[in-house]
Amino acid sequence: MYRFLLTRQWLILALLALVLIPTMVELGFWQLHKHEHKVAQNSLISRNLKAKPVPVTSLTSPGHTVPRSDYWRAVTATGTYDTAHEVVVRRRTSTDDRIGVHVLIPLDLKGGGTVLVNRGWVPSADSQRAFPDVPAVPKGEVTVTGRLKADETTGTSGIKDISDLPDRQVMLINSAQEAKRLSRPVLGGYIEQTGPEPSGGSPELIAAPDDGSIGPHMAYAVQWWLFAAGVPVGFVVLARREKHDRVEAAAKAAAGEQDLCEPKTPEQPGQPGQPEQPEKPAPATA
């Protein structure tokens, strides 16, 4: 009764099931890996944010690539702002998702060297080619605290670097690019400022990264695996239903053939469906 599984329709359905099962299993593992990555990143963020601040020069140097283990490390830097070379980083959002710019300024370190400081977010100017209003930085020597971040690239950020921008505007925060523009060495990476708080709340400091949310990736992984388990179950259910329908159809066909083969017997007078014969009149007597 299962020979129908060898038909073209059922062979295609079986092939489709064989393709779907490993695909769904792989998608489940993909979501599992994303979940594990998120958990590991949250742990790294929490650990580095709680670590005691250290001088930025102890973690990076000119041309240095900040490793992932040092992302968001609390650092300090003491020096003087180079206001003549302050730039803005385009297409950045505030904490409430408004489009604006980040303010990036070199800090000439006490004892030598330069590090980039991301002061935070301000609204864009009315014209994209105009430089926005940026609050002035404190004069003289300052001490900045913040989170150490790695240089941005198009590959890591997804932001396309545009070369023909107006003066003092950039798309990426990249120490190598700024070192070339400044014509002096710049420490690798940059500081995302957390203190001191700016006067008047502008620029708006960048919020700390989320280290509590793990997202729905584990739930998605379980869903994909349930779908993968449901494919063979569904195939079996469909096959059993097809068998049941074919058995019923075969039984009905056999019953119909039997009715056609049985001889019909004439019905006796008086039987239902047989017209009664009229009674003959009795013969007349003299």
Side-chain angles (χ1 to χ4, degrees):
M1 294 305 298
Y2 285 101
R3 289 182 180 177
F4 64 86
L5 294 176
L6 299 178
T7 61
R8 181 173 179 270
Q9 176 185 357
W10 279 92
L11 287 175
I12 293 176
L13 189 62
L15 181 61
L16 180 62
L18 291 175
V19 172
L20 285 176
I21 292 172
T23 300
M24 291 177 176
V25 170
E26 183 63 27
L27 288 171
F29 279 110
W30 173 59
Q31 289 293 340
L32 176 63
H33 295 329
K34 293 187 71 172
H35 168 78
E36 292 173 341
H37 173 77
K38 184 65 175 178
V39 170
Q41 177 170 289
N42 286 349
S43 177
L44 175 66
I45 293 173
S46 298
R47 183 172 61 253
N48 284 354
L49 291 181
K50 294 176 182 177
K52 182 180 179 180
V54 297
V56 67
T57 52
S58 67
L59 296 179
T60 184
S61 58
H64 178 74
T65 299
V66 177
R68 187 170 188 80
S69 59
D70 286 339
Y71 286 9
W72 306 286
R73 277 290 303 271
V75 294
T76 61
T78 300
T80 306
Y81 285 121
D82 181 1
T83 56
H85 293 99
E86 188 174 55
V87 298
V88 293
V89 190
R90 293 168 51 130
R91 300 179 187 175
R92 303 301 165 117
T93 56
S94 64
T95 53
D96 55 358
D97 294 328
R98 289 176 294 158
I99 302 297
V101 296
H102 281 174
V103 182
L104 187 68
I105 187 169
L107 179 69
D108 293 330
L109 297 172
K110 182 180 180 180
T114 299
V115 66
L116 301 176
V117 177
N118 184 349
R119 296 178 58 199
W121 180 91
V122 296
S124 302
D126 293 335
S127 170
Q128 289 190 357
R129 302 196 67 82
F131 195 82
D133 292 330
V134 178
V137 294
K139 294 182 179 180
E141 188 175 277
V142 296
T143 297
V144 176
T145 59
R147 297 178 287 263
L148 181 62
K149 299 290 293 292
D151 288 321
E152 296 178 347
T153 64
T154 298
T156 58
S157 67
I159 300 172
K160 183 179 179 181
D161 196 10
I162 302 174
S163 58
D164 57 343
L165 292 175
D167 187 38
R168 301 175 65 193
Q169 295 189 28
V170 297
M171 295 299 299
L172 299 170
I173 304 178
N174 187 283
S175 62
Q177 291 181 357
E178 291 304 299
K180 185 177 181 180
R181 187 175 67 89
L182 297 171
S183 300
R184 62 178 185 267
V186 175
L187 272 64
Y190 64 97
I191 298 175
E192 196 173 74
Q193 183 175 341
T194 59
E197 289 280 347
S199 176
S202 182
E204 178 184 298
L205 295 181
I206 301 170
D210 181 15
D211 62 347
S213 173
I214 59 174
H217 302 299
M218 178 56 76
Y220 290 160
V222 173
Q223 287 180 359
W224 279 119
W225 291 332
L226 289 176
F227 291 157
V231 170
V233 174
F235 186 87
V236 171
V237 170
L238 289 176
R240 290 176 65 87
R241 184 177 298 173
E242 179 75 9
K243 175 193 172 185
H244 180 266
D245 293 343
R246 287 173 178 263
V247 169
E248 281 192 346
K252 289 179 180 180
E257 291 179 0
Q258 185 177 0
D259 290 342
L260 292 175
C261 293
E262 288 181 354
K264 293 185 179 292
T265 57
E267 294 184 355
Q268 299 298 322
Q271 291 181 344
Q274 181 73 17
E276 295 185 357
Q277 298 295 327
E279 295 183 359
K280 293 183 180 180
T285 57

